[in-house]
Amino acid sequence: MKVVLKNVNVLNPHQKVNEKNVTILIENGKFKNIGNLTEAEIKDAKVFDLDGKYIVPGFFDMHVHLREPGREDEETVITGCNSAANGGFTGIACMPNTDPAIDSAEVVTLIKKQSANHLVDVYPIGAATVGRKGEVLSPMAELKDAGVVGFSDDGVAIKTASILKRSLEYAKMFDLPIIEHCEDESLAGGAMNESINSTLLGLPPIPTVAEDLIVMRDILIAEYADAKVHIAHISSKKSVEMVRDAKKKGIKVTAEVAPHHFTLTDDAVKTYDPNVKMNPPLRTKADVDEIIKGLKDGTIDCIASDHAPHSIEEKEMEFEFAPNGIIGLETQIGLAFTELYHKKVLSLEQMIEKLSINPRKILNLPVPEIKEGEIANLTILDIDAVWTVDKKKFKSKSSNTPFDKRLLTGKAIGVINKEKIFIDGSFSKI
Ligand code: DOR
Ligand code: ZN
């Protein structure tokens, strides 16, 4: 099957490619011809006239919570992949806080099997400890053989310094990162950021120092073990500063930020809307400003959604008792382009680095190339599309988002991978 993408701008900073207004032929899922098409080649092809839109290496979200196994009423592997494709992603990494946790080869295999025929590539993150309980190391070698691309106890930090040190040492043997949810257990358990707002609203607080303490511990131990630690959903000013300093010293630390942490502050909690409750919580303007600075100067390597589906019955409770988390796969690109690209925080090249290239590098995955002979793994991007979020149009099984009805600029309008295309709301084989 042949597909022609007409009048596209090709941008892949990884290959240092930036070409304007080319036409591309994809045949049987591979780039057949870029730029020099004959009439005979175009014949019988399905042609998409993309009128100046960009094609970039497929976006990758390295922090997604699928709820399979365990809570398939909230998200399955397939609905999560549909949501990812609709949001512009061709690859995701899924976190291990399923039930059971991803702490055995069987669960890894189940997830890989469920996603095998989907356009979206799914890479499970293995639990660092059995049941994510922080007591006994998971069978990391077995998990690696089954296909995990990193280890984490996400939802919580790895419980003790000693087990963190050992998990870093094992992960290093496989050249994989430990991905940390940084939160000191003894300071955890609140419902929102500790600030004047938590006092005024009467909600139990989570102080930024809960995050900072674990970021500090993790950087120290990563330095000691000379191993890779990745800070998930960074949210506090001090944590960004510590990662910046550690990188300067050559410590192998990387970091991601979720769109809500550069878009909103804890002022949003004044609505008591459970859809602004997540962990880490929304912080203050000073934290957001430092995150923006960290994105700009490379301290923060990538943007990841922390897509966390929850059922309506459980999420729509009093703020204090609602579960943490919001879905993010279908709003991430729009929020990132609106807040970072259109506000001139990041260049288009930096956007592609943070949404496609760096997450794959952190997980040791190959970055897709836009080159004749290569598999077509790409996102079609309309950087100027103005659109309004409508959660009714989401492909996710859940709809817990605070961004419904928000006006955004920038949208992924299609994806291609594994001989499939998703465009205009549906999948077809190419
Ligand atoms: O907001 C969050 N939601 N933070 C977490 O750490 C877990 C996640 C979830 O799985 O719902
Ligand atoms: Zn987390």
Side-chain angles (χ1 to χ4, degrees), residues 315-326:
K315 189 64 170 166
E316 299 206 339
M317 278 198 237
E318 295 95 311
F319 194 90
E320 197 176 333
F321 305 109
N324 283 307
I326 61 169

Side-chain angles (χ1 to χ4, degrees), residues 297-319:
D297 71 13
T299 300
I300 300 174
D301 302 85
C302 57
I303 300 163
S305 67
D306 198 3
H307 179 84
H310 289 290
S311 70
I312 295 177
E313 310 80 71
E314 282 165 38
K315 189 64 170 166
E316 299 206 339
M317 278 198 237
E318 295 95 311
F319 194 90

Side-chain angles (χ1 to χ4, degrees), residues 11 47 101 112 125 140 167 172 204 218 221 231 312 319 334 410 424-425:
L11 181 65
V47 179
K112 293 203 80 106
I125 302 296
M140 290 170 79
S167 62
K172 184 181 169 180
D218 287 12
I221 300 179
I231 311 298
I312 295 177
F319 194 90
D424 295 331

Side-chain angles (χ1 to χ4, degrees), residues 63 65 154-156 181 232-233 279-280 306:
H63 197 133
H65 295 274
D154 189 45
V156 292
H181 169 118
H233 41 56
N279 192 13
D306 198 3

Side-chain angles (χ1 to χ4, degrees), residues 124-127 148-152 176-179 363:
I125 302 296
V148 305
V149 294
F151 302 95
S152 178
L176 293 181
I178 294 290
I179 300 169
L363 301 174

Side-chain angles (χ1 to χ4, degrees), residues 50-70:
L50 293 171
D51 189 25
K53 314 241 176 350
Y54 279 85
I55 71 160
V56 298
F59 287 142
F60 192 99
D61 189 336
M62 69 174 290
H63 197 133
V64 173
H65 295 274
L66 300 176
R67 301 299 194 201
E68 186 174 354

